[in-house]
PDB file of all heavy atoms in Angstrom:
ATOM      1  N   SER A   1      89.973 123.048  84.514  1.00  0.00           N
ATOM      2  CA  SER A   1      89.390 122.022  85.384  1.00  0.00           C
ATOM      3  C   SER A   1      89.882 122.246  86.803  1.00  0.00           C
ATOM      4  O   SER A   1      91.086 122.428  87.036  1.00  0.00           O
ATOM      5  CB  SER A   1      89.790 120.620  84.926  1.00  0.00           C
ATOM      6  OG  SER A   1      89.239 120.327  83.663  1.00  0.00           O
ATOM      7  N   ARG A   2      88.951 122.224  87.746  1.00  0.00           N
ATOM      8  CA  ARG A   2      89.279 122.401  89.163  1.00  0.00           C
ATOM      9  C   ARG A   2      88.884 121.127  89.893  1.00  0.00           C
ATOM     10  O   ARG A   2      87.705 120.815  90.040  1.00  0.00           O
ATOM     11  CB  ARG A   2      88.540 123.615  89.726  1.00  0.00           C
ATOM     12  CG  ARG A   2      88.984 124.945  89.109  1.00  0.00           C
ATOM     13  CD  ARG A   2      88.090 126.086  89.568  1.00  0.00           C
ATOM     14  NE  ARG A   2      88.613 127.392  89.170  1.00  0.00           N
ATOM     15  CZ  ARG A   2      88.367 127.979  88.004  1.00  0.00           C
ATOM     16  NH1 ARG A   2      87.597 127.370  87.104  1.00  0.00           N
ATOM     17  NH2 ARG A   2      88.890 129.167  87.726  1.00  0.00           N
ATOM     18  N   LEU A   3      89.885 120.376  90.362  1.00  0.00           N
ATOM     19  CA  LEU A   3      89.666 119.050  90.937  1.00  0.00           C
ATOM     20  C   LEU A   3      90.304 118.957  92.323  1.00  0.00           C
ATOM     21  O   LEU A   3      91.360 119.534  92.567  1.00  0.00           O
ATOM     22  CB  LEU A   3      90.286 117.979  90.035  1.00  0.00           C
ATOM     23  CG  LEU A   3      89.869 118.003  88.551  1.00  0.00           C
ATOM     24  CD1 LEU A   3      90.759 117.059  87.741  1.00  0.00           C
ATOM     25  CD2 LEU A   3      88.407 117.617  88.394  1.00  0.00           C
ATOM     26  N   PHE A   4      89.652 118.204  93.222  1.00  0.00           N
ATOM     27  CA  PHE A   4      90.295 117.906  94.503  1.00  0.00           C
ATOM     28  C   PHE A   4      90.077 116.444  94.853  1.00  0.00           C
ATOM     29  O   PHE A   4      89.127 115.801  94.403  1.00  0.00           O
ATOM     30  CB  PHE A   4      89.809 118.835  95.624  1.00  0.00           C
ATOM     31  CG  PHE A   4      88.424 118.553  96.160  1.00  0.00           C
ATOM     32  CD1 PHE A   4      88.236 117.700  97.237  1.00  0.00           C
ATOM     33  CD2 PHE A   4      87.315 119.176  95.595  1.00  0.00           C
ATOM     34  CE1 PHE A   4      86.966 117.456  97.739  1.00  0.00           C
ATOM     35  CE2 PHE A   4      86.042 118.939  96.090  1.00  0.00           C
ATOM     36  CZ  PHE A   4      85.859 118.077  97.169  1.00  0.00           C
ATOM     37  N   THR A   5      91.007 115.905  95.627  1.00  0.00           N
ATOM     38  CA  THR A   5      90.940 114.520  96.086  1.00  0.00           C
ATOM     39  C   THR A   5      91.225 114.488  97.583  1.00  0.00           C
ATOM     40  O   THR A   5      91.927 115.349  98.119  1.00  0.00           O
ATOM     41  CB  THR A   5      91.968 113.621  95.369  1.00  0.00           C
ATOM     42  OG1 THR A   5      93.285 114.094  95.652  1.00  0.00           O
ATOM     43  CG2 THR A   5      91.749 113.621  93.871  1.00  0.00           C
ATOM     44  N   ILE A   6      90.698 113.474  98.247  1.00  0.00           N
ATOM     45  CA  ILE A   6      90.950 113.236  99.667  1.00  0.00           C
ATOM     46  C   ILE A   6      91.203 111.743  99.836  1.00  0.00           C
ATOM     47  O   ILE A   6      90.409 110.927  99.367  1.00  0.00           O
ATOM     48  CB  ILE A   6      89.748 113.652 100.540  1.00  0.00           C
ATOM     49  CG1 ILE A   6      89.415 115.135 100.347  1.00  0.00           C
ATOM     50  CG2 ILE A   6      90.017 113.364 102.012  1.00  0.00           C
ATOM     51  CD1 ILE A   6      88.128 115.573 101.044  1.00  0.00           C
ATOM     52  N   GLY A   7      92.305 111.376 100.487  1.00  0.00           N
ATOM     53  CA  GLY A   7      92.527 109.949 100.692  1.00  0.00           C
ATOM     54  C   GLY A   7      93.922 109.605 101.162  1.00  0.00           C
ATOM     55  O   GLY A   7      94.760 110.481 101.387  1.00  0.00           O
ATOM     56  N   PRO A   8      94.200 108.288 101.298  1.00  0.00           N
ATOM     57  CA  PRO A   8      95.489 107.829 101.822  1.00  0.00           C
ATOM     58  C   PRO A   8      96.578 107.764 100.758  1.00  0.00           C
ATOM     59  O   PRO A   8      96.318 107.495  99.585  1.00  0.00           O
ATOM     60  CB  PRO A   8      95.158 106.427 102.345  1.00  0.00           C
ATOM     61  CG  PRO A   8      94.035 105.962 101.468  1.00  0.00           C
ATOM     62  CD  PRO A   8      93.243 107.190 101.140  1.00  0.00           C
ATOM     63  N   MET A   9      97.816 108.035 101.196  1.00  0.00           N
ATOM     64  CA  MET A   9      99.032 107.884 100.393  1.00  0.00           C
ATOM     65  C   MET A   9      99.972 106.952 101.166  1.00  0.00           C
ATOM     66  O   MET A   9      99.766 106.702 102.359  1.00  0.00           O
ATOM     67  CB  MET A   9      99.721 109.230 100.155  1.00  0.00           C
ATOM     68  CG  MET A   9      98.808 110.358  99.719  1.00  0.00           C
ATOM     69  SD  MET A   9      98.070 110.108  98.103  1.00  0.00           S
ATOM     70  CE  MET A   9      96.572 111.103  98.280  1.00  0.00           C
ATOM     71  N   PHE A  10     101.036 106.475 100.494  1.00  0.00           N
ATOM     72  CA  PHE A  10     101.895 105.472 101.106  1.00  0.00           C
ATOM     73  C   PHE A  10     103.359 105.765 100.775  1.00  0.00           C
ATOM     74  O   PHE A  10     103.731 105.881  99.607  1.00  0.00           O
ATOM     75  CB  PHE A  10     101.532 104.077 100.589  1.00  0.00           C
ATOM     76  CG  PHE A  10     100.080 103.728 100.776  1.00  0.00           C
ATOM     77  CD1 PHE A  10      99.138 104.105  99.827  1.00  0.00           C
ATOM     78  CD2 PHE A  10      99.654 103.045 101.904  1.00  0.00           C
ATOM     79  CE1 PHE A  10      97.794 103.801  99.997  1.00  0.00           C
ATOM     80  CE2 PHE A  10      98.311 102.732 102.074  1.00  0.00           C
ATOM     81  CZ  PHE A  10      97.379 103.118 101.130  1.00  0.00           C
ATOM     82  N   ARG A  11     104.181 105.882 101.827  1.00  0.00           N
ATOM     83  CA  ARG A  11     105.616 106.044 101.630  1.00  0.00           C
ATOM     84  C   ARG A  11     106.349 105.253 102.705  1.00  0.00           C
ATOM     85  O   ARG A  11     106.017 105.349 103.898  1.00  0.00           O
ATOM     86  CB  ARG A  11     106.047 107.518 101.702  1.00  0.00           C
ATOM     87  CG  ARG A  11     105.511 108.359 100.559  1.00  0.00           C
ATOM     88  CD  ARG A  11     106.125 109.745 100.556  1.00  0.00           C
ATOM     89  NE  ARG A  11     105.434 110.621  99.620  1.00  0.00           N
ATOM     90  CZ  ARG A  11     105.773 111.876  99.377  1.00  0.00           C
ATOM     91  NH1 ARG A  11     106.806 112.404 100.029  1.00  0.00           N
ATOM     92  NH2 ARG A  11     105.087 112.608  98.515  1.00  0.00           N
ATOM     93  N   TYR A  12     107.371 104.501 102.280  1.00  0.00           N
ATOM     94  CA  TYR A  12     108.163 103.723 103.231  1.00  0.00           C
ATOM     95  C   TYR A  12     109.246 104.638 103.802  1.00  0.00           C
ATOM     96  O   TYR A  12     110.356 104.723 103.284  1.00  0.00           O
ATOM     97  CB  TYR A  12     108.792 102.505 102.561  1.00  0.00           C
ATOM     98  CG  TYR A  12     109.389 101.532 103.549  1.00  0.00           C
ATOM     99  CD1 TYR A  12     108.591 100.574 104.159  1.00  0.00           C
ATOM    100  CD2 TYR A  12     110.733 101.586 103.886  1.00  0.00           C
ATOM    101  CE1 TYR A  12     109.125  99.684 105.083  1.00  0.00           C
ATOM    102  CE2 TYR A  12     111.279 100.703 104.811  1.00  0.00           C
ATOM    103  CZ  TYR A  12     110.466  99.758 105.402  1.00  0.00           C
ATOM    104  OH  TYR A  12     110.987  98.884 106.321  1.00  0.00           O
ATOM    105  N   GLU A  13     108.896 105.361 104.849  1.00  0.00           N
ATOM    106  CA  GLU A  13     109.819 106.259 105.517  1.00  0.00           C
ATOM    107  C   GLU A  13     109.676 106.071 107.022  1.00  0.00           C
ATOM    108  O   GLU A  13     108.756 105.394 107.480  1.00  0.00           O
ATOM    109  CB  GLU A  13     109.554 107.721 105.116  1.00  0.00           C
ATOM    110  CG  GLU A  13     108.124 108.172 105.307  1.00  0.00           C
ATOM    111  CD  GLU A  13     107.852 109.542 104.674  1.00  0.00           C
ATOM    112  OE1 GLU A  13     108.766 110.121 104.062  1.00  0.00           O
ATOM    113  OE2 GLU A  13     106.720 110.026 104.802  1.00  0.00           O
ATOM    114  N   ARG A  14     110.567 106.681 107.774  1.00  0.00           N
ATOM    115  CA  ARG A  14     110.547 106.490 109.224  1.00  0.00           C
ATOM    116  C   ARG A  14     109.294 107.127 109.816  1.00  0.00           C
ATOM    117  O   ARG A  14     109.077 108.324 109.664  1.00  0.00           O
ATOM    118  CB  ARG A  14     111.797 107.120 109.853  1.00  0.00           C
ATOM    119  CG  ARG A  14     111.908 106.918 111.361  1.00  0.00           C
ATOM    120  CD  ARG A  14     113.224 107.456 111.889  1.00  0.00           C
ATOM    121  NE  ARG A  14     113.353 108.884 111.622  1.00  0.00           N
ATOM    122  CZ  ARG A  14     112.862 109.840 112.416  1.00  0.00           C
ATOM    123  NH1 ARG A  14     112.183 109.508 113.512  1.00  0.00           N
ATOM    124  NH2 ARG A  14     113.038 111.108 112.111  1.00  0.00           N
ATOM    125  N   PRO A  15     108.438 106.338 110.494  1.00  0.00           N
ATOM    126  CA  PRO A  15     107.250 106.925 111.122  1.00  0.00           C
ATOM    127  C   PRO A  15     107.651 107.967 112.158  1.00  0.00           C
ATOM    128  O   PRO A  15     108.615 107.784 112.902  1.00  0.00           O
ATOM    129  CB  PRO A  15     106.563 105.726 111.788  1.00  0.00           C
ATOM    130  CG  PRO A  15     107.076 104.527 111.057  1.00  0.00           C
ATOM    131  CD  PRO A  15     108.486 104.868 110.677  1.00  0.00           C
ATOM    132  N   GLN A  16     106.938 109.073 112.187  1.00  0.00           N
ATOM    133  CA  GLN A  16     107.233 110.143 113.134  1.00  0.00           C
ATOM    134  C   GLN A  16     105.943 110.868 113.475  1.00  0.00           C
ATOM    135  O   GLN A  16     104.886 110.574 112.907  1.00  0.00           O
ATOM    136  CB  GLN A  16     108.258 111.115 112.535  1.00  0.00           C
ATOM    137  CG  GLN A  16     107.820 111.699 111.203  1.00  0.00           C
ATOM    138  CD  GLN A  16     108.908 112.524 110.550  1.00  0.00           C
ATOM    139  OE1 GLN A  16     109.277 113.556 111.075  1.00  0.00           O
ATOM    140  NE2 GLN A  16     109.413 112.071 109.411  1.00  0.00           N
ATOM    141  N   LYS A  17     106.043 111.787 114.383  1.00  0.00           N
ATOM    142  CA  LYS A  17     104.876 112.541 114.818  1.00  0.00           C
ATOM    143  C   LYS A  17     104.241 113.255 113.634  1.00  0.00           C
ATOM    144  O   LYS A  17     104.865 114.059 112.962  1.00  0.00           O
ATOM    145  CB  LYS A  17     105.294 113.559 115.879  1.00  0.00           C
ATOM    146  CG  LYS A  17     104.144 114.327 116.512  1.00  0.00           C
ATOM    147  CD  LYS A  17     104.668 115.289 117.567  1.00  0.00           C
ATOM    148  CE  LYS A  17     103.530 116.051 118.235  1.00  0.00           C
ATOM    149  NZ  LYS A  17     104.035 117.028 119.226  1.00  0.00           N
ATOM    150  N   GLY A  18     102.993 112.930 113.353  1.00  0.00           N
ATOM    151  CA  GLY A  18     102.283 113.588 112.267  1.00  0.00           C
ATOM    152  C   GLY A  18     102.530 112.998 110.897  1.00  0.00           C
ATOM    153  O   GLY A  18     102.035 113.513 109.901  1.00  0.00           O
ATOM    154  N   ARG A  19     103.298 111.904 110.783  1.00  0.00           N
ATOM    155  CA  ARG A  19     103.552 111.307 109.481  1.00  0.00           C
ATOM    156  C   ARG A  19     103.791 109.809 109.629  1.00  0.00           C
ATOM    157  O   ARG A  19     104.804 109.380 110.131  1.00  0.00           O
ATOM    158  CB  ARG A  19     104.755 111.969 108.824  1.00  0.00           C
ATOM    159  CG  ARG A  19     105.049 111.497 107.403  1.00  0.00           C
ATOM    160  CD  ARG A  19     103.918 111.844 106.435  1.00  0.00           C
ATOM    161  NE  ARG A  19     104.321 111.608 105.064  1.00  0.00           N
ATOM    162  CZ  ARG A  19     104.552 112.576 104.176  1.00  0.00           C
ATOM    163  NH1 ARG A  19     104.393 113.836 104.512  1.00  0.00           N
ATOM    164  NH2 ARG A  19     104.902 112.282 102.941  1.00  0.00           N
ATOM    165  N   MET A  20     102.822 109.014 109.169  1.00  0.00           N
ATOM    166  CA  MET A  20     102.956 107.568 109.184  1.00  0.00           C
ATOM    167  C   MET A  20     103.264 107.078 107.772  1.00  0.00           C
ATOM    168  O   MET A  20     103.309 107.847 106.819  1.00  0.00           O
ATOM    169  CB  MET A  20     101.655 106.927 109.692  1.00  0.00           C
ATOM    170  CG  MET A  20     101.232 107.382 111.072  1.00  0.00           C
ATOM    171  SD  MET A  20     102.359 106.794 112.354  1.00  0.00           S
ATOM    172  CE  MET A  20     101.789 105.105 112.546  1.00  0.00           C
ATOM    173  N   ARG A  21     103.488 105.783 107.624  1.00  0.00           N
ATOM    174  CA  ARG A  21     103.761 105.231 106.292  1.00  0.00           C
ATOM    175  C   ARG A  21     102.498 105.211 105.435  1.00  0.00           C
ATOM    176  O   ARG A  21     102.591 105.310 104.212  1.00  0.00           O
ATOM    177  CB  ARG A  21     104.379 103.842 106.423  1.00  0.00           C
ATOM    178  CG  ARG A  21     105.797 103.911 106.962  1.00  0.00           C
ATOM    179  CD  ARG A  21     106.412 102.554 107.248  1.00  0.00           C
ATOM    180  NE  ARG A  21     107.814 102.731 107.661  1.00  0.00           N
ATOM    181  CZ  ARG A  21     108.569 101.766 108.146  1.00  0.00           C
ATOM    182  NH1 ARG A  21     108.078 100.536 108.294  1.00  0.00           N
ATOM    183  NH2 ARG A  21     109.817 102.018 108.492  1.00  0.00           N
ATOM    184  N   GLN A  22     101.359 105.026 106.046  1.00  0.00           N
ATOM    185  CA  GLN A  22     100.097 105.371 105.381  1.00  0.00           C
ATOM    186  C   GLN A  22      99.651 106.692 105.978  1.00  0.00           C
ATOM    187  O   GLN A  22      99.401 106.785 107.174  1.00  0.00           O
ATOM    188  CB  GLN A  22      99.016 104.324 105.586  1.00  0.00           C
ATOM    189  CG  GLN A  22      97.682 104.751 104.953  1.00  0.00           C
ATOM    190  CD  GLN A  22      96.564 103.749 105.135  1.00  0.00           C
ATOM    191  OE1 GLN A  22      96.723 102.578 104.831  1.00  0.00           O
ATOM    192  NE2 GLN A  22      95.428 104.191 105.627  1.00  0.00           N
ATOM    193  N   PHE A  23      99.582 107.711 105.151  1.00  0.00           N
ATOM    194  CA  PHE A  23      99.163 109.029 105.611  1.00  0.00           C
ATOM    195  C   PHE A  23      98.078 109.541 104.668  1.00  0.00           C
ATOM    196  O   PHE A  23      97.855 108.989 103.592  1.00  0.00           O
ATOM    197  CB  PHE A  23     100.352 110.002 105.657  1.00  0.00           C
ATOM    198  CG  PHE A  23     101.064 110.170 104.345  1.00  0.00           C
ATOM    199  CD1 PHE A  23     100.806 111.252 103.527  1.00  0.00           C
ATOM    200  CD2 PHE A  23     102.012 109.241 103.926  1.00  0.00           C
ATOM    201  CE1 PHE A  23     101.457 111.414 102.308  1.00  0.00           C
ATOM    202  CE2 PHE A  23     102.670 109.389 102.703  1.00  0.00           C
ATOM    203  CZ  PHE A  23     102.391 110.482 101.902  1.00  0.00           C
ATOM    204  N   HIS A  24      97.397 110.578 105.091  1.00  0.00           N
ATOM    205  CA  HIS A  24      96.239 111.063 104.342  1.00  0.00           C
ATOM    206  C   HIS A  24      96.460 112.502 103.889  1.00  0.00           C
ATOM    207  O   HIS A  24      97.051 113.299 104.606  1.00  0.00           O
ATOM    208  CB  HIS A  24      94.982 110.974 105.213  1.00  0.00           C
ATOM    209  CG  HIS A  24      94.655 109.574 105.632  1.00  0.00           C
ATOM    210  ND1 HIS A  24      95.336 108.927 106.637  1.00  0.00           N
ATOM    211  CD2 HIS A  24      93.730 108.684 105.169  1.00  0.00           C
ATOM    212  CE1 HIS A  24      94.846 107.700 106.779  1.00  0.00           C
ATOM    213  NE2 HIS A  24      93.879 107.534 105.909  1.00  0.00           N
ATOM    214  N   GLN A  25      95.980 112.792 102.698  1.00  0.00           N
ATOM    215  CA  GLN A  25      96.151 114.127 102.144  1.00  0.00           C
ATOM    216  C   GLN A  25      94.856 114.655 101.553  1.00  0.00           C
ATOM    217  O   GLN A  25      94.017 113.888 101.060  1.00  0.00           O
ATOM    218  CB  GLN A  25      97.217 114.133 101.044  1.00  0.00           C
ATOM    219  CG  GLN A  25      98.640 114.026 101.547  1.00  0.00           C
ATOM    220  CD  GLN A  25      99.661 114.220 100.444  1.00  0.00           C
ATOM    221  OE1 GLN A  25      99.362 114.062  99.265  1.00  0.00           O
ATOM    222  NE2 GLN A  25     100.891 114.556 100.815  1.00  0.00           N
ATOM    223  N   VAL A  26      94.729 115.973 101.599  1.00  0.00           N
ATOM    224  CA  VAL A  26      93.748 116.709 100.808  1.00  0.00           C
ATOM    225  C   VAL A  26      94.534 117.373  99.691  1.00  0.00           C
ATOM    226  O   VAL A  26      95.506 118.081  99.943  1.00  0.00           O
ATOM    227  CB  VAL A  26      93.038 117.780 101.661  1.00  0.00           C
ATOM    228  CG1 VAL A  26      92.106 118.616 100.799  1.00  0.00           C
ATOM    229  CG2 VAL A  26      92.271 117.137 102.803  1.00  0.00           C
ATOM    230  N   ASN A  27      94.144 117.113  98.441  1.00  0.00           N
ATOM    231  CA  ASN A  27      94.855 117.660  97.278  1.00  0.00           C
ATOM    232  C   ASN A  27      93.916 118.475  96.409  1.00  0.00           C
ATOM    233  O   ASN A  27      92.765 118.072  96.188  1.00  0.00           O
ATOM    234  CB  ASN A  27      95.432 116.539  96.426  1.00  0.00           C
ATOM    235  CG  ASN A  27      96.576 115.812  97.104  1.00  0.00           C
ATOM    236  OD1 ASN A  27      96.358 115.044  98.032  1.00  0.00           O
ATOM    237  ND2 ASN A  27      97.783 116.067  96.651  1.00  0.00           N
ATOM    238  N   CYS A  28      94.403 119.603  95.889  1.00  0.00           N
ATOM    239  CA  CYS A  28      93.652 120.421  94.930  1.00  0.00           C
ATOM    240  C   CYS A  28      94.510 120.688  93.710  1.00  0.00           C
ATOM    241  O   CYS A  28      95.706 120.969  93.837  1.00  0.00           O
ATOM    242  CB  CYS A  28      93.249 121.759  95.560  1.00  0.00           C
ATOM    243  SG  CYS A  28      91.852 121.637  96.665  1.00  0.00           S
ATOM    244  N   GLU A  29      93.908 120.620  92.535  1.00  0.00           N
ATOM    245  CA  GLU A  29      94.600 120.887  91.283  1.00  0.00           C
ATOM    246  C   GLU A  29      93.727 121.789  90.413  1.00  0.00           C
ATOM    247  O   GLU A  29      92.551 121.487  90.179  1.00  0.00           O
ATOM    248  CB  GLU A  29      94.888 119.582  90.511  1.00  0.00           C
ATOM    249  CG  GLU A  29      95.264 118.374  91.363  1.00  0.00           C
ATOM    250  CD  GLU A  29      96.642 118.446  91.982  1.00  0.00           C
ATOM    251  OE1 GLU A  29      97.429 119.319  91.557  1.00  0.00           O
ATOM    252  OE2 GLU A  29      96.939 117.651  92.889  1.00  0.00           O
ATOM    253  N   CYS A  30      94.309 122.893  89.930  1.00  0.00           N
ATOM    254  CA  CYS A  30      93.655 123.787  88.969  1.00  0.00           C
ATOM    255  C   CYS A  30      94.410 123.658  87.654  1.00  0.00           C
ATOM    256  O   CYS A  30      95.578 124.063  87.554  1.00  0.00           O
ATOM    257  CB  CYS A  30      93.666 125.231  89.473  1.00  0.00           C
ATOM    258  SG  CYS A  30      92.932 126.412  88.320  1.00  0.00           S
ATOM    259  N   LEU A  31      93.770 123.093  86.639  1.00  0.00           N
ATOM    260  CA  LEU A  31      94.432 122.732  85.386  1.00  0.00           C
ATOM    261  C   LEU A  31      93.873 123.546  84.225  1.00  0.00           C
ATOM    262  O   LEU A  31      92.657 123.599  84.030  1.00  0.00           O
ATOM    263  CB  LEU A  31      94.235 121.233  85.116  1.00  0.00           C
ATOM    264  CG  LEU A  31      94.592 120.298  86.277  1.00  0.00           C
ATOM    265  CD1 LEU A  31      94.230 118.854  85.933  1.00  0.00           C
ATOM    266  CD2 LEU A  31      96.052 120.424  86.641  1.00  0.00           C
ATOM    267  N   GLY A  32      94.771 124.184  83.478  1.00  0.00           N
ATOM    268  CA  GLY A  32      94.344 124.876  82.267  1.00  0.00           C
ATOM    269  C   GLY A  32      94.631 126.361  82.244  1.00  0.00           C
ATOM    270  O   GLY A  32      94.396 127.010  81.224  1.00  0.00           O
ATOM    271  N   SER A  33      95.139 126.934  83.329  1.00  0.00           N
ATOM    272  CA  SER A  33      95.395 128.377  83.374  1.00  0.00           C
ATOM    273  C   SER A  33      96.845 128.660  83.720  1.00  0.00           C
ATOM    274  O   SER A  33      97.380 128.124  84.684  1.00  0.00           O
ATOM    275  CB  SER A  33      94.486 129.069  84.395  1.00  0.00           C
ATOM    276  OG  SER A  33      94.807 130.444  84.488  1.00  0.00           O
ATOM    277  N   GLN A  34      97.473 129.542  82.920  1.00  0.00           N
ATOM    278  CA  GLN A  34      98.825 130.009  83.207  1.00  0.00           C
ATOM    279  C   GLN A  34      98.832 131.276  84.058  1.00  0.00           C
ATOM    280  O   GLN A  34      99.879 131.737  84.483  1.00  0.00           O
ATOM    281  CB  GLN A  34      99.571 130.295  81.902  1.00  0.00           C
ATOM    282  CG  GLN A  34      99.932 129.056  81.103  1.00  0.00           C
ATOM    283  CD  GLN A  34     100.717 129.412  79.854  1.00  0.00           C
ATOM    284  OE1 GLN A  34     100.429 130.412  79.202  1.00  0.00           O
ATOM    285  NE2 GLN A  34     101.709 128.600  79.522  1.00  0.00           N
ATOM    286  N   SER A  35      97.666 131.824  84.322  1.00  0.00           N
ATOM    287  CA  SER A  35      97.572 133.113  84.990  1.00  0.00           C
ATOM    288  C   SER A  35      98.106 133.045  86.424  1.00  0.00           C
ATOM    289  O   SER A  35      97.817 132.094  87.159  1.00  0.00           O
ATOM    290  CB  SER A  35      96.119 133.592  85.029  1.00  0.00           C
ATOM    291  OG  SER A  35      95.986 134.731  85.845  1.00  0.00           O
ATOM    292  N   PRO A  36      98.851 134.073  86.834  1.00  0.00           N
ATOM    293  CA  PRO A  36      99.257 134.135  88.242  1.00  0.00           C
ATOM    294  C   PRO A  36      98.065 134.272  89.181  1.00  0.00           C
ATOM    295  O   PRO A  36      98.173 133.954  90.371  1.00  0.00           O
ATOM    296  CB  PRO A  36     100.168 135.371  88.298  1.00  0.00           C
ATOM    297  CG  PRO A  36      99.799 136.191  87.108  1.00  0.00           C
ATOM    298  CD  PRO A  36      99.382 135.214  86.051  1.00  0.00           C
ATOM    299  N   LEU A  37      96.920 134.720  88.648  1.00  0.00           N
ATOM    300  CA  LEU A  37      95.721 134.800  89.478  1.00  0.00           C
ATOM    301  C   LEU A  37      95.261 133.411  89.917  1.00  0.00           C
ATOM    302  O   LEU A  37      94.694 133.254  91.000  1.00  0.00           O
ATOM    303  CB  LEU A  37      94.598 135.513  88.729  1.00  0.00           C
ATOM    304  CG  LEU A  37      94.871 136.955  88.282  1.00  0.00           C
ATOM    305  CD1 LEU A  37      93.629 137.560  87.648  1.00  0.00           C
ATOM    306  CD2 LEU A  37      95.335 137.814  89.451  1.00  0.00           C
ATOM    307  N   ALA A  38      95.502 132.393  89.074  1.00  0.00           N
ATOM    308  CA  ALA A  38      95.156 131.025  89.456  1.00  0.00           C
ATOM    309  C   ALA A  38      95.998 130.579  90.648  1.00  0.00           C
ATOM    310  O   ALA A  38      95.491 129.943  91.579  1.00  0.00           O
ATOM    311  CB  ALA A  38      95.357 130.079  88.276  1.00  0.00           C
ATOM    312  N   ASP A  39      97.299 130.927  90.630  1.00  0.00           N
ATOM    313  CA  ASP A  39      98.174 130.603  91.761  1.00  0.00           C
ATOM    314  C   ASP A  39      97.660 131.280  93.034  1.00  0.00           C
ATOM    315  O   ASP A  39      97.533 130.657  94.090  1.00  0.00           O
ATOM    316  CB  ASP A  39      99.603 131.086  91.502  1.00  0.00           C
ATOM    317  CG  ASP A  39     100.226 130.545  90.229  1.00  0.00           C
ATOM    318  OD1 ASP A  39      99.483 130.200  89.297  1.00  0.00           O
ATOM    319  OD2 ASP A  39     101.462 130.483  90.161  1.00  0.00           O
ATOM    320  N   ALA A  40      97.379 132.600  92.906  1.00  0.00           N
ATOM    321  CA  ALA A  40      96.960 133.375  94.076  1.00  0.00           C
ATOM    322  C   ALA A  40      95.638 132.869  94.633  1.00  0.00           C
ATOM    323  O   ALA A  40      95.477 132.734  95.849  1.00  0.00           O
ATOM    324  CB  ALA A  40      96.843 134.851  93.699  1.00  0.00           C
TER     325      ALA A  40
END
């Protein structure tokens, strides 16, 4: 399975340049393969 998500995340940490307490991420997950080719 090849899945990606886009959206906000939340961490109570010191706000700084490029990182707020609500921040946004693009995430990708490849599930089901042990092959190093999947990593590459």
Side-chain angles (χ1 to χ4, degrees):
S1 294
R2 295 172 171 87
L3 307 169
F4 75 91
T5 61
I6 301 173
M9 313 294 154
F10 305 86
R11 293 188 190 182
Y12 191 84
E13 53 190 2
R14 183 175 60 86
Q16 56 187 294
K17 185 179 181 182
R19 185 64 170 251
M20 302 292 281
R21 289 174 176 171
Q22 176 180 308
F23 57 99
H24 299 77
Q25 286 188 339
V26 175
N27 291 73
C28 282
E29 323 288 347
C30 178
L31 309 175
S33 176
Q34 290 182 321
S35 171
L37 300 184
D39 304 26

